[in-house]
Amino acid sequence: MAEDAENQSIWEAMEACRPGSQDLVDPQFGCLVQALAKDPTLAVRYGWLQAVDAQVASAFGQVVVPADLQARILENLRSELAGGAEAQLPGGAEVSCFWAAQEEDFGVGQKASEAPLGGAGSVEPGLSIPLSLEDREETGARETSEGRKIAKFTENRKYGESRQIKESGEIVPGTVPSRLVPAGPSSSKKRGRWLVAAALVASASMAAAIFLLWPPSTEPPLSLATIQNQALWFAMGELQQFSTGPRWEGPTDRDPFPFSRWVRSRADIRVRKISGLLGREGLAYDLQLPEGSRATLYVVPVFQSGAPPVEQNLPSEPPRYDQTARTGGFCAGGWQEDGFLYMLVVHRDSSRAYYQFFTPQQII
Amino acid sequence: MATEGRSLDIAKLVAEHHEAVYRYAYRLSGSQADAEDLTQQVFLIACQKGGQLRQSESVRSWLFTILRNCFLKSRAKQTPTPAATLELCLENIPEPEHPPCWIDPDDLQQALNRLSVQDRVILAMFYFENLSYRQIAQQLAIPIGTVMSRLARAKARLRAQLFPQWAQPTRAEAQTDQSSTFPSITDKKLRVSS
């Protein structure tokens, strides 16, 4: 029973750790850290969970947003804001019911009805919520330049105008930008809208047809973290293949997958073809240093037909050890060089083991 | 973001956050129409309650909270999706294989649609909002232990939907099917004890 409870808490802790976070340092996860240190199998499972979580998190954000959504939201908000019925506030001020209804919700310590009209805390439709930067500047300027109390706000829907009436009864024309108020559509405007709508539908259909004829790649670009994780798992899955290829004789001018200038070439190096890493074909250089440390340098092209794209801003030099992917006693760093992706997977998870595979000029 | 006093720049608010809100809404609701409705609703409420926002840096979190509440309210009267039972043990995590190089966003949505509303919400908070279990507990006002348990179960259910080939039998299934192709430690224990 106690073992089951412990297993459950470890499992829950593993699931609660966000990928790429520092959650493991949370004292709540002490039992998990201890278990991972003791059990390499558990560490591998943890790494697997983290890799899957990273993929799921990435997929979560991949939702296509309708192109005109922003415009439609704003249009609806304008309708809602301008469409509120009117209500009387104490003092005879007339404001949009929408705002009058919200006076309990301002949460700034002063109700709308208590605020002096035209003062800093007044509720002036069109002034308190500018719908764009341009509008805000426009209305703000009127506030400061006029500095007069506005007692009444009315809309003339028939003519699409907004007016504010001062206490004196004088109308301040255009106090609220008229384009923010839905004007009563004339028949020509209606026709125009229908034409615009028809044009939009036609262009959307054309865009859909183009999309179907030339479907763009829907796969998101692979991030450095994903590349490193994939390399890590690829290496762990093909451990049996390590050093099974022929000895590498050194660089030539016609190497299809050249060796990296960042990696030490003094090691005993064997080379073999690989397939499937990041959906690409390439080469694996198996490195074994005289002191016994082992690593595999994978080289695949940045661009390959049918393979998922990679992010454009990948680093052009190896990452520091703390930026590598690490799990199950392995660590992996990735970078790009001259049109190739390089991934060094070191068969030991320590900074010393990682750095000893790089040339001395590599500044870490 | 202008949030001082009652001045809230709605155009800017919408411009900056409508995509994130829509994506979140889509993952929760599973349909474009519902997601658009929810997004509209969120910004309308944001307009109404803009003055309640004290810290401009928490705008997105505030909008997401409104969204979650709207979503839960909209689903409150619907028949809840029965949650599948799930054995809680380490062996339910499948033997490591290569994790997927890429998860199809549509597959993810189909998997989410088969989960309960509660599972979807907690998964969205974890994966989409990238909230820690502590933050989730704080936002949902439930104990940390409950969050960890719910989160672990929800994630396992999601994986079972996404990767049926990795689905592991529950302990009960292991008891009834000794020839399971996924022998677990629990399974071995059962055999030894019998």
Side-chain angles (χ1 to χ4, degrees):
Chain A
M1 286 295 284
E3 189 186 355
D4 279 353
E6 191 183 339
N7 277 352
Q8 181 173 329
S9 65
I10 289 173
W11 178 52
E12 288 176 357
M14 283 171 75
E15 297 281 14
C17 282
R18 292 166 297 172
S21 71
Q22 299 295 315
D23 285 346
L24 268 182
V25 300
D26 189 322
Q28 179 93 12
F29 296 143
C31 63
L32 173 60
V33 174
Q34 286 177 0
L36 289 174
K38 281 181 196 167
D39 185 353
T41 310
L42 192 67
V44 171
R45 283 187 173 187
Y46 176 73
W48 184 91
L49 269 182
Q50 291 279 297
V52 172
D53 276 352
Q55 291 298 322
V56 175
S58 168
F60 244 87
Q62 292 164 29
V63 175
V64 179
V65 180
D68 58 344
L69 180 64
Q70 185 181 352
R72 277 188 280 127
I73 292 170
L74 288 174
E75 186 64 29
N76 281 357
L77 287 175
R78 282 169 187 155
S79 302
E80 290 285 343
L81 294 175
E86 291 184 340
Q88 290 288 332
L89 279 182
E94 194 175 351
V95 298
S96 162
C97 184
F98 179 80
W99 294 105
Q102 299 309 319
E103 60 178 330
E104 297 296 331
D105 291 328
F106 278 117
V108 290
Q110 186 181 33
K111 290 184 179 180
S113 55
E114 295 166 356
L117 286 170
S122 68
V123 186
E124 293 176 13
L127 293 179
S128 55
I129 299 193
L131 290 185
S132 72
L133 288 172
E134 180 190 318
D135 297 335
R136 182 172 55 186
E137 285 163 5
E138 189 180 352
T139 54
R142 284 203 177 87
E143 267 185 314
T144 51
S145 65
E146 294 176 8
R148 284 172 291 199
K149 288 183 180 178
I150 294 169
K152 195 172 180 181
F153 174 79
T154 61
E155 295 169 7
N156 188 332
R157 292 181 181 232
K158 184 176 178 184
Y159 299 106
E161 292 177 357
S162 298
R163 292 175 185 172
Q164 291 179 349
I165 303 170
K166 289 179 274 184
E167 282 178 329
S168 62
E170 186 188 346
I171 293 172
V172 184
T175 312
V176 176
S178 59
R179 65 183 179 280
L180 301 183
V181 181
S186 64
S187 60
S188 61
K189 278 187 178 174
K190 268 186 180 174
R191 206 178 304 124
R193 283 185 186 173
W194 277 110
L195 286 173
V196 169
L200 282 174
V201 170
S203 56
S205 308
M206 195 174 291
I210 291 170
F211 180 80
L212 288 173
L213 286 174
W214 292 287
S217 170
T218 55
E219 296 186 23
L222 301 173
S223 66
L224 179 63
T226 306
I227 290 168
Q228 292 180 161
N229 272 320
Q230 291 299 316
L232 204 58
W233 284 97
F234 190 85
M236 291 168 79
E238 56 142 43
L239 280 176
Q240 304 293 330
Q241 305 297 321
F242 187 83
S243 276
T244 53
R247 191 178 298 276
W248 185 55
E249 301 299 339
T252 67
D253 291 340
R254 282 188 277 173
D255 280 342
F257 299 98
F259 199 78
S260 169
R261 66 172 178 273
W262 296 108
V263 180
R264 277 183 168 183
S265 56
R266 72 175 175 85
D268 175 22
I269 301 175
R270 291 174 180 271
V271 65
R272 58 194 165 83
K273 285 183 180 175
I274 54 160
S275 178
L277 175 57
L278 307 175
R280 291 160 165 82
E281 293 188 344
L283 218 57
Y285 294 93
D286 293 322
L287 297 82
Q288 188 150 14
L289 293 176
E291 54 267 38
S293 298
R294 291 164 31 147
T296 302
L297 177 69
Y298 295 105
V299 190
V300 295
V302 171
F303 301 104
Q304 193 167 82
S305 176
V310 298
E311 282 183 355
Q312 290 183 343
N313 57 346
L314 290 178
S316 56
E317 57 188 49
R320 294 196 315 264
Y321 171 72
D322 60 357
Q323 296 167 329
T324 60
R326 300 190 292 274
T327 192
F330 287 61
C331 64
W335 67 98
Q336 63 173 342
E337 246 180 86
D338 304 327
F340 290 94
L341 290 173
Y342 289 86
M343 291 148 279
L344 183 76
V345 181
V346 180
H347 298 198
R348 188 177 293 174
D349 183 8
S350 79
S351 60
R352 188 172 170 276
Y354 177 71
Y355 289 135
Q356 66 183 347
F357 282 97
F358 291 104
T359 51
Q361 72 264 27
Q362 162 66 358
I363 300 168
I364 305 292
Chain B
M1 185 65 53
T3 56
E4 288 178 11
R6 273 157 280 170
S7 182
L8 188 68
D9 191 335
I10 293 299
K12 199 176 171 194
L13 187 78
V14 173
E16 286 180 355
H17 301 292
H18 79 280
E19 291 190 348
V21 171
Y22 175 82
R23 289 192 176 104
Y24 198 169
Y26 182 79
R27 287 299 180 212
L28 288 177
S29 65
S31 93
Q32 188 176 339
D34 288 350
E36 286 198 23
D37 285 349
L38 280 168
T39 308
Q40 294 276 3
Q41 211 175 341
V42 167
F43 284 107
L44 186 58
I45 292 173
C47 273
Q48 295 171 343
K49 315 247 173 173
Q52 293 180 348
L53 184 62
R54 298 279 200 274
Q55 294 174 322
S56 58
E57 62 269 22
S58 61
V59 168
R60 182 161 292 197
S61 168
W62 178 62
L63 292 173
F64 285 166
T65 304
I66 295 174
L67 173 62
R68 278 198 309 274
N69 291 339
C70 288
F71 172 70
L72 288 172
K73 200 173 175 184
S74 71
R75 300 298 167 112
K77 290 176 185 173
Q78 295 188 6
T79 311
T81 309
T85 55
L86 193 73
E87 195 72 24
L88 278 176
C89 64
L90 280 171
E91 288 72 40
N92 276 330
I93 298 173
E95 290 299 326
E97 297 177 31
H98 286 302
C101 181
W102 180 64
I103 293 172
D104 188 320
D106 292 336
D107 290 347
L108 173 65
Q109 193 57 53
Q110 285 177 17
L112 284 171
N113 292 348
R114 287 192 284 267
L115 300 182
S116 68
V117 166
Q118 282 71 24
D119 280 354
R120 261 183 273 174
V121 167
I122 203 165
L123 288 171
M125 294 177 84
F126 181 80
Y127 286 119
F128 190 85
E129 290 192 66
N130 196 27
L131 296 179
S132 70
Y133 69 100
R134 285 184 192 276
Q135 291 168 317
I136 295 173
Q138 198 177 5
Q139 296 239 352
L140 296 180
I142 52 177
I144 283 175
T146 309
V147 168
M148 291 181 73
S149 172
R150 280 191 196 173
L151 182 62
R153 289 167 191 266
K155 286 175 68 180
R157 288 189 195 110
L158 178 67
R159 284 196 300 270
Q161 295 290 344
L162 275 175
F163 317 113
Q165 71 275 20
W166 293 341
Q168 296 264 341
T170 63
R171 189 178 303 195
E173 286 167 343
Q175 277 177 311
T176 55
D177 182 11
Q178 293 288 313
S179 62
S180 168
T181 54
F182 299 95
S184 64
I185 295 170
T186 315
D187 195 1
K188 287 173 194 165
K189 280 180 187 170
L190 285 169
R191 284 178 188 167
V192 170
S193 60
S194 62

